[in-house]
Amino acid sequence: MPHLKMKFSTNPSSLSVSAVLTKEQTDAESKSKKQAMEFKEYVLEKAISVNKALESAVSIKEPVKIHESMRYSLLAGGKRIRPMLCIAACELVGGVESTAMPAACAVEMIHTMSLIHDDLPCMDNDDLRRGKPTNHKIYGEDVAVLAGDALLALAFEHIATQTKGVSSDRIVRVIGELAKCIGSEGLVAGQVVDIISEGISDVDLKHLEFIHLHKTAALLEGSVVLGAILGGAPDEDVEKLRKFARCIGLLFQVVDDILDVTKSSQQLGKTAGKDLVADKVTYPKLIGIEKSREFAEELNKEAKAQLVGFDQEKAAPLFALANYIAYREN
Amino acid sequence: MPHLKMKFSTNPSSLSVSAVLTKEQTDAESKSKKQAMEFKEYVLEKAISVNKALESAVSIKEPVKIHESMRYSLLAGGKRIRPMLCIAACELVGGVESTAMPAACAVEMIHTMSLIHDDLPCMDNDDLRRGKPTNHKIYGEDVAVLAGDALLALAFEHIATQTKGVSSDRIVRVIGELAKCIGSEGLVAGQVVDIISEGISDVDLKHLEFIHLHKTAALLEGSVVLGAILGGAPDEDVEKLRKFARCIGLLFQVVDDILDVTKSSQQLGKTAGKDLVADKVTYPKLIGIEKSREFAEELNKEAKAQLVGFDQEKAAPLFALANYIAYREN
């Protein structure tokens, strides 16, 4: 994964709102409100169909305990950002929701697997996730390890057996992309370097970016790229969307770092201030809160620049998802 | 996975050798010795090419620690039974070694992943594996969990990106089969029921068979089925070979159960007598050593019956692998 070279913006935040609005500003505000409403409907609609698909992807059967454990974490009400990115990318390039749905479920299964394993006592040792006890607190460490493994395998099974209306060539490509973004050069690489870096005081920005690009951005990148490939995008468009996803992936983690030090556990639905306690290097720690916020703005802008040239109406959900990631509260 | 209905044979072991040999018996002995030599050469040759392929499948790169951890367990000198089954099945139906090699590596990666996770303190808590300290003893529990995850993902990446000369339709089918034999209805199902059953005194034969068919037979089945599909076998032959694999899979575990109570840790290269200490239900515990041996013979016979109708020369390695599994010493 190439190193992202981005300057830190010194411009004032684009979120600031002037006290007195001109006619144009009122019109823009009103258009923006309309878009926000449409996005809210979009998110609601997609979340319902994704949750329905996830619900039927893991039914209760023998052995009951492992399926309960998988469902406990998978259906714990996450924000479903990854499935939404996958579906939105597919629709952007001309595909339909049903084509992307198995892959959309797969990326959420992988995300859930990574949370279950990450929360284990031998890893982050977290008791709380999405406002509920972590998987191993309910089912035991052994079953939690296995539930993660089973979700990882199911993700591939789901894509291979449930994807319809796409050539097998594209399905094979999608499986290769997903596997790469999980493994020792993706998600796992980020987690390992994160673990190794704990307590080390001289971690620099490049090193921190490696962690975030792998630990968080890789799977967000995968989500978008999978959707684009399944939707039939030409290679050039897949690569533009890959860059978009990498930017919002890094953005996601920068915002996460900021939220960890600015919000309470109750507001986040998970233990706040953990990074500080674990002495983890974060963007706020390295460059301060304000510079972190500016960097987030810059990444959001850089991400959106990749969407120029696509049908702007169809690209609206990806624009809005980038904003959502940038300005989320938990 | 259907329940295997097999009667226990009461025939004397087919291994017993008469003191005085007739001319026919001498000829048969001599033929058998020749076959044993040929099989030894076959195993040696395949082990070399599999090890070479595994060696280059996981090279040392950044982050170094995770790749070292993956290589430590993957290249620890296992018997490579699963890759050999995969290649032998592919060659039996008319395919070539190179076509099956990425899948052969993949099944060994999955096997290694399951050993790493199974050895964790929260699971079997084993210190010794293949005569060496277990992965988490060297790299820590956190890295061991991640090394397993990375190997799981790499298995799929390897098949999706490295398989050559086969239609994408067959590659997708192979990925679906592999994923299913790992997940909550395969390998993981067996491990979960095994964990739940520890210390329960009234586990019956059907229950024990469920554990073995899932924990061990599923991946052996997958190895054979993947090879057969990649080699271009028609569905009917894939199903015959699936049944062959299921029988030798159960056979493998029955023999494992027997070895655990009859051999020393040094002979096995892993902790012996663990099943007894952990109060695990095993075949010897349920039906005694002798009946377990008879059952193993019966399974071996049932497995070989599936190979009738195939080119017998090409089927020789699978016959020999079944015998090897039945009569191995560790």
Side-chain angles (χ1 to χ4, degrees), chain A residues 294-316:
Chain A
E294 284 166 19
F295 186 40
E297 285 294 334
E298 195 69 19
L299 286 167
N300 192 8
K301 225 167 90 184
E302 180 79 11
K304 287 174 184 168
Q306 308 308 318
L307 299 179
V308 175
F310 287 99
D311 178 322
Q312 292 302 287
E313 201 170 321
K314 281 189 176 172

Side-chain angles (χ1 to χ4, degrees), chain B residues 14-325:
Chain B
S14 63
L15 273 184
S16 63
V17 180
S18 157
V20 183
L21 299 174
T22 63
K23 169 77 174 74
E24 286 73 25
Q25 281 170 324
T26 318
D27 285 354
E29 278 271 292
S30 151
K31 194 182 164 197
S32 163
K33 269 186 191 162
K34 187 171 166 269
Q35 282 173 345
M37 278 300 292
E38 280 172 4
F39 179 61
K40 217 171 165 182
E41 277 167 32
Y42 178 89
V43 166
L44 201 68
E45 184 201 309
K46 294 301 179 198
I48 289 170
S49 49
V50 166
N51 284 334
K52 202 175 144 194
L54 287 171
E55 165 80 37
S56 57
V58 188
S59 56
I60 293 287
K61 52 193 155 188
E62 290 291 340
V64 171
K65 194 171 182 181
I66 189 72
H67 292 101
E68 278 181 353
S69 165
M70 292 162 76
R71 284 170 62 92
Y72 176 77
S73 294
L74 190 63
L75 308 176
K79 293 183 281 286
R80 313 306 188 205
I81 289 173
R82 290 156 194 83
M84 268 180 224
L85 283 169
C86 184
I87 293 168
C90 178
E91 290 177 338
L92 169 62
V93 300
V96 292
E97 182 186 293
S98 60
T99 304
M101 191 55 90
C105 289
V107 291
E108 191 68 10
M109 289 170 192
I110 298 298
H111 176 54
T112 306
M113 170 286 291
S114 79
L115 298 182
I116 296 173
H117 283 185
D118 215 31
D119 287 338
L120 286 169
C122 67
M123 307 271 279
D124 275 1
N125 193 19
D126 227 319
D127 295 347
L128 201 61
R129 168 72 66 183
R130 291 170 178 168
K132 291 167 67 180
T134 44
N135 196 293
H136 65 272
K137 282 277 157 190
I138 304 284
Y139 296 98
E141 285 177 56
D142 45 7
V143 173
V145 169
L146 292 170
D149 294 348
L151 283 168
L152 216 172
L154 183 60
F156 291 102
E157 186 184 342
H158 209 62
I159 294 178
T161 64
Q162 303 300 314
T163 308
K164 309 289 174 213
V166 184
S167 73
S168 292
D169 284 354
R170 283 193 180 254
I171 297 176
V172 170
R173 215 174 125 195
V174 149
I175 287 166
E177 287 274 356
L178 179 63
K180 190 165 186 189
C181 81
I182 301 165
S184 60
E185 293 177 86
L187 185 55
V188 166
Q191 285 178 303
V192 165
V193 175
D194 194 18
I195 289 167
I196 295 170
S197 310
E198 262 179 56
I200 297 177
S201 56
D202 63 343
V203 171
D204 62 8
L205 214 53
K206 197 180 156 191
H207 191 93
L208 182 66
E209 196 174 279
F210 179 94
I211 296 174
H212 289 346
L213 274 177
H214 290 79
K215 193 172 171 179
T216 307
L219 189 55
L220 289 163
E221 178 186 327
S223 305
V224 170
V225 167
L226 263 54
I229 294 173
L230 290 167
D235 290 356
E236 194 194 344
D237 287 353
V238 170
E239 292 318 309
K240 268 191 208 164
L241 290 170
R242 188 190 297 279
K243 197 171 174 196
F244 161 81
R246 214 174 278 179
C247 287
I248 62 160
L250 194 49
L251 173 63
F252 190 95
Q253 195 58 50
V254 175
V255 172
D256 223 51
D257 281 4
I258 297 171
L259 291 173
D260 186 72
V261 287
T262 57
K263 300 285 177 184
S264 70
S265 297
Q266 204 185 359
Q267 284 169 313
L268 294 179
K270 62 180 179 182
T271 314
K274 274 210 61 117
D275 296 340
L276 271 176
V277 172
D279 200 20
K280 275 196 180 178
V281 175
T282 63
Y283 277 92
K285 196 175 171 183
L286 271 190
I287 57 171
I289 294 271
E290 274 319 302
K291 285 259 181 231
S292 300
R293 285 200 172 115
E294 285 166 17
F295 186 39
E297 285 294 333
E298 195 69 18
L299 286 166
N300 192 6
K301 224 166 91 184
E302 180 79 11
K304 287 172 182 169
Q306 308 308 317
L307 300 179
V308 175
F310 287 100
D311 177 323
Q312 290 303 287
E313 201 170 321
K314 282 188 176 171
L318 287 184
F319 274 108
L321 277 162
N323 278 339
Y324 170 72
I325 288 171

Side-chain angles (χ1 to χ4, degrees), chain A residues 50-121:
Chain A
V50 166
N51 284 334
K52 203 175 144 197
L54 286 172
E55 165 80 35
S56 56
V58 188
S59 57
I60 293 287
K61 53 193 152 189
E62 290 290 340
V64 171
K65 194 170 183 182
I66 189 71
H67 292 102
E68 277 181 355
S69 166
M70 291 161 77
R71 284 170 62 93
Y72 176 78
S73 294
L74 190 63
L75 308 177
K79 294 183 281 284
R80 313 304 188 205
I81 289 174
R82 290 157 193 83
M84 267 179 224
L85 283 169
C86 185
I87 294 167
C90 179
E91 289 177 338
L92 169 61
V93 300
V96 292
E97 183 187 293
S98 60
T99 304
M101 191 55 90
C105 289
V107 293
E108 191 68 10
M109 289 171 192
I110 299 297
H111 175 55
T112 305
M113 171 285 293
S114 79
L115 299 182
I116 296 173
H117 283 186
D118 215 31
D119 288 337
L120 287 168

Side-chain angles (χ1 to χ4, degrees), chain A residues 154-326:
Chain A
L154 184 60
F156 291 102
E157 187 183 343
H158 209 62
I159 294 178
T161 63
Q162 303 301 314
T163 308
K164 309 288 173 214
V166 183
S167 73
S168 292
D169 284 353
R170 282 193 182 253
I171 298 176
V172 171
R173 214 172 127 198
V174 150
I175 287 166
E177 286 276 356
L178 178 63
K180 190 165 185 188
C181 81
I182 300 164
S184 60
E185 293 179 84
L187 185 54
V188 166
Q191 285 177 302
V192 166
V193 175
D194 194 18
I195 288 167
I196 296 170
S197 311
E198 260 180 58
I200 296 176
S201 55
D202 63 344
V203 171
D204 62 7
L205 213 53
K206 197 181 156 190
H207 191 94
L208 182 66
E209 196 173 277
F210 179 94
I211 296 172
H212 287 346
L213 274 177
H214 290 78
K215 194 174 170 177
T216 307
L219 189 54
L220 289 162
E221 178 187 327
S223 306
V224 170
V225 168
L226 263 54
I229 295 173
L230 291 167
D235 290 355
E236 195 194 345
D237 286 352
V238 171
E239 292 317 309
K240 268 190 206 164
L241 290 170
R242 187 189 298 278
K243 196 170 175 195
F244 161 82
R246 215 173 275 180
C247 287
I248 62 161
L250 194 50
L251 173 63
F252 189 95
Q253 194 59 49
V254 175
V255 172
D256 222 50
D257 281 4
I258 297 170
L259 291 173
D260 186 73
V261 287
T262 57
K263 299 286 177 184
S264 69
S265 297
Q266 202 186 0
Q267 284 170 313
L268 295 180
K270 62 181 178 183
T271 315
K274 274 212 57 120
D275 297 340
L276 271 176
V277 173
D279 199 22
K280 276 197 179 178
V281 175
T282 63
Y283 277 93
K285 195 174 171 183
L286 271 189
I287 57 172
I289 293 272
E290 273 320 300
K291 285 260 181 230
S292 299
R293 286 201 171 114
E294 284 166 19
F295 186 40
E297 285 294 334
E298 195 69 19
L299 286 167
N300 192 8
K301 225 167 90 184
E302 180 79 11
K304 287 174 184 168
Q306 308 308 318
L307 299 179
V308 175
F310 287 99
D311 178 322
Q312 292 302 287
E313 201 170 321
K314 281 189 176 172
L318 287 184
F319 274 108
L321 277 162
N323 278 338
Y324 169 72
I325 288 170

